[in-house]
């Protein structure tokens, strides 16, 4: 039998989350359910009349907007916004296959981080599946730029993200984080980092139809040189950690949920550059290849590095 860390995973049970969209302010319920091997991430929207649009693959070619969040086109004039936090949690925790269903136009913001989703995954556990995990191996470096901002994907023997941000704010300033992925480190260092914004932009954003559901309960609010949230920050560098959370989510759109085996680097990046670098990677087959996990060194995602309390179920015992 191949080692379990080279096998695909899905959830061991169903999850449901209710809340409202941070931009729309509209109530929404999201469910995540187990999916068979090689499904990837599939998303559906339940419409007001009870009809279902989808499921369709969560895929970078379906990205239609990247202003303040990532929005996917499901077809039939239907879209879903702010998809990045939920797929970040799935990818960060090593889930390969899942069905996602919403009854609204935007994923619930919950507390502004991916921790509620991550905690849910830990609660229901994961199911090891009898199919080889696959990765997108970066063979040739690609870079996209916007003035001094850039995002790059490069060949690397592992999964690492090197992300740097810079804001004209004494509270944030310049922050950098290098994240060598494992599920445990995702749960401990990334998942709880919340989205953030500036008080000076709030009125203009709301007039433009954004941040209608934003509050101190789901966002870090920066005014001049202070944090307005009464409880302060969860991490001293929570801002760059949330940008890392977003990047992990956006990059999981590469091929319906397949993880990237390589190095991601970014400076002053965001959803737009994250989407552009995926387009650049897949512009030529010389840039990448799909590789079975068993053909790669997998010490970075061994099952013994799962977070404490995460139950692992396996029916591989019955199939070989």
């Amino acid at each position: 039998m191949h080692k379990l860390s080279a096998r695909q995973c899905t959830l061991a049970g169903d999850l449901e989350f209710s809340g409202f969209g941070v931009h729309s302010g509209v109530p929404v319920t999201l469910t995540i359910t187990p999916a068979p091997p090689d499904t990837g991430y599939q998303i559906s929207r339940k419409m007001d009349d009870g009809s279902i649009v989808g499921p369709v693959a969560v895929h970078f070619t379906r990205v239609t907007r990247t202003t303040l969040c990532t929005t996917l086109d499901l077809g039939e004039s239907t879209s879903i916004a702010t998809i990045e936090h939920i797929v970040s949690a799935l990818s960060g925790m090593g889930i390969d296959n899942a069905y996602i269903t919403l009854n609204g136009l935007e994923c619930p913001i919950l507390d502004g981080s991916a921790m509620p989703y991550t905690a849910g995954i830990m609660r229901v556990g994961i199911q090891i599946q009898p199919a080889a995990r696959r990765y997108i191996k970066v063979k040739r470096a690609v870079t996209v730029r916007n003035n001094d901002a850039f995002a790059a994907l490069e060949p690397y023997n592992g999964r690492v993200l090197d992300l740097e941000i810079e804001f004209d704010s004494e509270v944030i300033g310049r922050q950098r984080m290098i994240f060598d992925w494992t599920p445990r480190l995702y749960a401990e260092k990334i998942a709880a980092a919340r989205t953030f914004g500036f008080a000076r932009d709030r009125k203009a954003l709301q007039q433009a139809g954004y941040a209608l559901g934003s509050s101190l309960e789901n966002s870090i609010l920066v005014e001049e040189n202070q944090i307005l949230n009464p409880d302060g920050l969860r991490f001293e560098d929570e801002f760059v950690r949330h940008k890392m959370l977003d990047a992990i989510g956006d990059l999981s759109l590469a091929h319906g949920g397949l993880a990237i085996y390589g190095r991601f680097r970014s400076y002053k990046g965001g959803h737009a550059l994250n989407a552009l670098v995926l387009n650049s990677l897949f512009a030529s087959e010389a840039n990448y290849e799909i590789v079975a996990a068993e053909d790669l060194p997998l010490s970075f995602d061994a099952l013994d590095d799962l977070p404490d309390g995460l139950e692992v179920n396996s029916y591989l015992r019955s199939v070989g």
Side-chain angles (χ1 to χ4, degrees):
M1 183 192 299
H2 295 292
K3 56 185 178 181
L4 296 184
S5 58
R7 294 295 185 174
Q8 294 180 31
C9 298
T10 190
L11 299 173
D14 299 346
L15 291 171
E16 181 175 296
F17 303 89
S18 294
F20 51 85
V22 68
H23 295 301
S24 65
V26 175
V28 61
T29 295
L30 178 152
T31 61
I32 316 170
T33 55
D38 298 318
T39 299
Y41 304 152
Q42 299 268 335
I43 191 163
S44 306
R45 180 172 163 188
K46 185 175 182 179
M47 308 303 288
D48 292 341
D49 63 3
S51 63
I52 303 290
V53 176
V56 301
V58 173
H59 199 276
F60 75 98
T61 57
R62 292 188 174 274
V63 175
T64 56
R65 297 186 67 178
T66 53
T67 303
L68 301 176
C69 67
T70 297
T71 299
L72 298 183
D73 175 30
L74 275 61
E76 301 182 38
S77 300
T78 301
S79 63
I80 289 178
T82 320
I83 184 67
E84 61 271 14
H85 293 181
I86 174 57
V87 290
S88 178
L90 291 170
S91 178
M93 296 298 287
I95 301 298
D96 300 282
N97 306 299
Y99 291 120
I100 306 167
T101 304
L102 291 91
N103 65 355
L105 49 79
E106 185 181 10
C107 295
I109 191 61
L110 305 176
D111 74 342
S113 78
M115 182 50 76
Y117 297 123
T118 300
I121 294 168
M122 292 174 65
R123 184 172 66 252
V124 300
I126 65 171
Q127 181 81 53
I128 308 299
Q129 299 177 296
R133 177 174 280 170
R134 297 176 298 155
Y135 289 92
I136 301 161
K137 182 179 180 180
V138 180
K139 295 174 59 180
R140 189 169 65 179
V142 295
T143 304
V144 293
R145 299 183 181 275
N146 181 17
N147 297 318
D148 62 338
F150 74 87
L153 285 166
E154 303 166 342
Y156 181 80
N157 190 26
R159 289 183 62 190
V160 68
L161 297 91
D162 182 345
L163 193 149
E164 188 171 6
I165 62 173
E166 186 173 4
F167 286 87
D168 184 18
S169 164
E170 291 184 13
V171 172
I172 304 176
R174 193 164 183 165
Q175 300 181 3
R176 181 185 182 190
M177 183 176 193
I178 299 174
F179 180 63
D180 198 351
W181 178 82
T182 72
R184 179 184 297 275
L185 291 179
Y186 179 86
E188 292 177 353
K189 298 181 180 296
I190 304 298
R194 296 162 294 172
T195 191
F196 60 93
F198 295 91
R200 63 175 181 260
D201 301 330
R202 189 169 186 175
K203 183 176 180 181
L205 287 174
Q206 291 181 337
Q207 288 176 340
Y210 295 101
L212 299 178
S214 177
S215 73
L216 295 179
E217 295 181 356
N218 57 43
S219 305
I220 304 168
L221 190 60
V222 180
E223 182 177 55
E224 298 300 331
N225 294 312
Q226 63 176 329
I227 304 295
L228 297 185
N229 301 65
D231 296 332
L233 299 176
R234 294 176 175 175
F235 309 94
E236 183 178 354
D237 59 348
E238 189 168 357
F239 303 98
V240 72
R241 292 180 191 234
H242 185 78
K243 287 292 189 177
M244 184 71 73
L245 183 158
D246 281 346
I248 292 168
D250 287 341
L251 293 176
S252 74
L253 307 184
H255 204 289
L258 290 188
I260 292 175
Y261 187 84
R263 176 169 58 194
F264 171 76
R265 293 192 302 117
S266 176
Y267 173 65
K268 289 186 177 180
H271 300 301
L273 283 177
N274 295 343
L276 286 172
V277 80
L278 288 181
N279 276 275
S280 183
L281 179 71
F282 290 101
S284 170
E285 292 185 357
N287 295 337
Y288 71 96
E289 62 179 328
I290 307 298
V291 180
E294 55 206 34
D295 297 327
L296 298 170
L298 287 171
S299 59
F300 59 87
D301 71 340
L303 287 179
D304 60 7
D305 198 54
L306 290 168
D308 294 335
L310 179 55
E311 182 181 356
V312 179
N313 302 301
S314 175
Y315 58 83
L316 287 178
R317 300 183 187 89
S318 64
V319 297

